[in-house]
Amino acid sequence: MKPEEKIISYFSALKQKKIIGPSYIFIGENLSLIGRLLKIINCQETSKYCGQCWSCKRLDDFKHPDLLVVEPEGVSIKINQIRQAIRFLSRSSYLAPKKILLVKDAQKLTAEAANLFLKTLEEPPNNSFIGLICPKLEDILPTIISRCRKIYLPYLENKAIKSEDDVEAILRSGYFGSQKRKDFSLFLESLIILLHKRLKSKISYAGQPGSGFLSSLDFKETITALENLFKIYQASGTVNINLAINLIKMGLKCS
Ligand SMILES: [Zn+2]
């Protein structure tokens, strides 16, 4: 069984026994796998997830009324964001069995925000699920780690990181988990394909901004970004990977 499928089966077994814990830390960058786990939590059709119901479909693009995604505003996740998140969890759910709070780049919680969060992590309101996501466990405060169960996400090996969400997650974190040149090339290829698609849609549907994190770029900026990506791609055997990630991030206005 592939590592991803093992985690899916594990979670689905927890669901059947009704023992999915309230707070988890997901270590890694496999956002699409996290999306599948969230579907398991709230799909009422099967013991895994059906992929077809109202809830599953909304979780596909992480837009569900019972899901709140918190991510850094600027360089950190601030105390006000955590205050709002706690309020969100304390309300009753709209439709799904559980309210889900997802904190991306949890290593960027300020000390104040983390402290405020501790009590909720330990005793979350009924029917809630909290998932923290971080690239490396070492970057998370021990007081937070001790309150959560940990899941190491399998690394996306030998496979292009296809989804825009995954590419965006890596760029926003400013950190590329692997130091393997091959993985970095695949990441660049994925991003080039995404920008190329974006360019095509700009030509065919002039003026329509579309959605996603690349949508703020205009035509000229998209072309410049592509040109710069090709340069980095040509140097991808020698370039400093995390420096390159941050250059790309700036070029794409992805702060
Ligand atoms: Zn479903």
Side-chain angles (χ1 to χ4, degrees):
M1 202 189 280
K2 277 165 59 181
E4 287 205 2
E5 300 312 316
K6 269 190 199 158
I7 294 180
I8 295 288
S9 301
Y10 166 69
F11 236 69
S12 137
L14 294 180
K15 174 182 175 179
Q16 276 168 287
K17 294 180 190 150
K18 296 190 165 61
I19 51 169
I20 295 181
S23 310
Y24 283 80
I25 298 182
F26 297 107
I27 305 114
E29 280 149 356
N30 196 333
L31 205 59
S32 65
L33 179 56
I34 295 175
R36 293 174 69 194
L37 297 177
L38 300 188
K39 282 189 238 181
I40 293 178
I41 294 170
N42 270 340
C43 179
Q44 292 174 284
E45 300 300 320
T46 74
S47 61
K48 281 189 183 172
Y49 66 89
C50 70
Q52 301 295 320
C53 68
W54 190 88
S55 179
C56 283
K57 285 199 168 149
R58 269 154 191 84
L59 284 170
D60 260 343
D61 46 2
F62 293 90
K63 287 190 178 105
H64 188 297
D66 291 317
L67 167 73
L68 178 70
V69 180
V70 171
E71 50 196 325
E73 278 177 5
V75 291
S76 60
I77 299 173
K78 308 199 167 54
I79 192 163
N80 260 338
Q81 292 175 268
I82 293 304
R83 232 175 244 136
Q84 276 173 17
I86 294 173
R87 234 176 283 142
F88 163 83
L89 288 178
S90 67
R91 289 197 295 261
S92 54
S93 72
Y94 174 71
L95 198 85
K98 285 190 193 236
K99 312 208 68 166
I100 300 174
L101 168 65
L102 211 53
V103 181
K104 288 184 176 175
D105 284 326
Q107 75 279 11
K108 294 189 176 167
L109 281 161
T110 62
E112 287 169 303
N115 278 328
L116 178 68
F117 207 9
L118 291 181
K119 197 167 169 288
T120 306
L121 282 173
E122 195 156 83
E123 287 176 61
N126 276 340
N127 300 324
S128 51
F129 177 90
I130 304 174
L132 309 180
I133 311 173
C134 64
K136 284 189 301 179
L137 195 60
E138 303 90 273
D139 299 336
I140 301 288
L141 289 172
T143 44
I144 288 192
I145 296 175
S146 66
R147 286 165 171 82
C148 302
R149 300 191 199 177
K150 287 152 267 308
I151 292 192
Y152 286 87
L153 303 173
Y155 187 67
L156 299 158
E157 212 166 3
N158 297 328
K159 185 176 140 198
I161 302 157
K162 287 191 197 76
S163 90
E164 188 161 343
D165 275 341
D166 285 336
V167 169
E168 180 182 3
I170 291 175
L171 285 176
R172 289 211 192 274
S173 76
Y175 173 79
F176 194 72
S178 161
Q179 286 300 317
K180 287 188 200 156
R181 298 284 161 190
K182 203 172 132 204
D183 295 333
F184 184 57
S185 302
L186 284 170
F187 166 79
L188 291 175
E189 284 163 22
S190 307
L191 187 52
I192 288 169
I193 292 165
L194 285 170
L195 278 168
H196 182 246
K197 273 194 200 151
R198 184 68 66 184
L199 204 59
K200 260 168 66 181
S201 77
K202 278 193 191 300
I203 293 168
S204 4
Y205 324 102
Q208 292 216 13
S211 63
F213 81 105
L214 297 170
S215 59
S216 64
L217 299 175
D218 64 28
F219 191 80
K220 213 175 145 226
E221 286 166 338
T222 311
I223 290 181
T224 309
L226 268 171
E227 285 170 352
N228 289 334
L229 270 174
F230 281 125
K231 281 182 203 150
I232 295 173
Y233 187 65
Q234 281 169 336
S236 65
T238 52
V239 75
N240 174 320
I241 293 177
N242 283 320
L243 185 68
I245 289 283
N246 283 293
L247 281 173
I248 295 168
K249 199 174 153 167
M250 280 194 296
L252 297 176
K253 299 197 288 188
C254 170
S255 55

